[in-house]
Amino acid sequence: MPTSRKLSARLMQLQELFSRNEDWLIVINADPDAMAAAMALKRIMSHRVRKVTIARINEISRPDNLAMIRYLRISMLPLSDCLKNQATRFAMVDSQPHHNPAFEGIPFSIVIDHHPTSPEHPVEAVYTDIRPKYGAVSTLMTEYLRGFGIRPGIRLATALQYGIRTDTATFTRAGTENDLRAYQYLAAHGDTGLLTRITRSEYLPQWLKYFARAFSSMHQCGNWAYCYLGDVESPDILVLIADFFTRVHGLKWVGVCGVYKETVVVIFRGDGHLDLGAFAASRFGSLGNAGGHRALARAEFPLAATEGRSVDVFVFRKLTDRPQKKKEEENRGRGEGTL
């Protein structure tokens, strides 16, 4: 079946969910791709439902994200019990219900994402569209807009462009032909000047000290590196530094670790030769939430899981430990198998 027919069938299914008597709440873990995708879904819902509100579960501190909100005038509220009580239906983009405890208990009717699914956490919603091969949900939502015959305005087109840029690292880290086609289409409707202003707002002066910590703590192990930053004021700092290290010649991947509010966070970035999503899940999945894509992944687990040991050493050993199965095979090859 041609892709256009599949999309049309999806759009018909999606449209059947909309009623002018209902108030929708789009819940996101706010980053550029999530915010842009939520804006697009809100635009699709406009005139089809009574009210649409975008709610975020996280605090926003990255300067480029704040610039995106300011320049593109993104209307978004912190998630609260009051907002949840006022809504009659819920949607989610760029995430899945098991990704964060803040999503627990919310009966999502729509889940649209590009992160891989987990067999242990099947997504249950009336409407789901999860496409791990896409570099950004903004790409998928651009296809939705075109399928509905909606031409994005300047601010929406610019937001979707920026969403694709950030999640694909401007097509150097990930991305497919679909992402490129969507970006080219949006370029004809967006504002290059606004996009430039947003992309140039990346760092706060008080964050520079973390780069010094990263350089001084870095362990380089062949073609990969690990660094530990200690306590950080925002996990976004770990993301910025991990992205920075992807520009270092010879590094295939990097893990950047820090502690935020009694939670250990490890950010992975790479060139895709190692499936970092699967790697993160195998090393840290038993401790908390871990996973992602081939080229970018994340792990989060309670500080208490280290049982008082050095976080730096604990995480580094997790990264360097060989899987037990591989050890057993090597032992058998040396005649050292257990009885």
Side-chain angles (χ1 to χ4, degrees), residues 104-143:
E104 292 179 1
I106 300 177
F108 290 102
S109 297
I110 296 172
V111 176
I112 301 174
D113 190 24
H114 71 131
H115 297 94
T117 55
S118 167
E120 294 81 18
H121 302 282
V123 178
E124 297 180 359
V126 178
Y127 180 90
T128 63
D129 191 357
I130 300 173
R131 307 195 198 184
K133 292 184 179 180
Y134 278 52
V137 177
S138 293
T139 297
L140 182 50
M141 296 311 301
T142 300
E143 294 180 358

Side-chain angles (χ1 to χ4, degrees), residues 22-39:
E22 292 182 324
D23 297 336
W24 280 81
L25 189 65
I26 304 174
V27 185
I28 61 172
N29 190 352
D31 65 13
D33 191 27
M35 290 189 287
M39 290 173 67

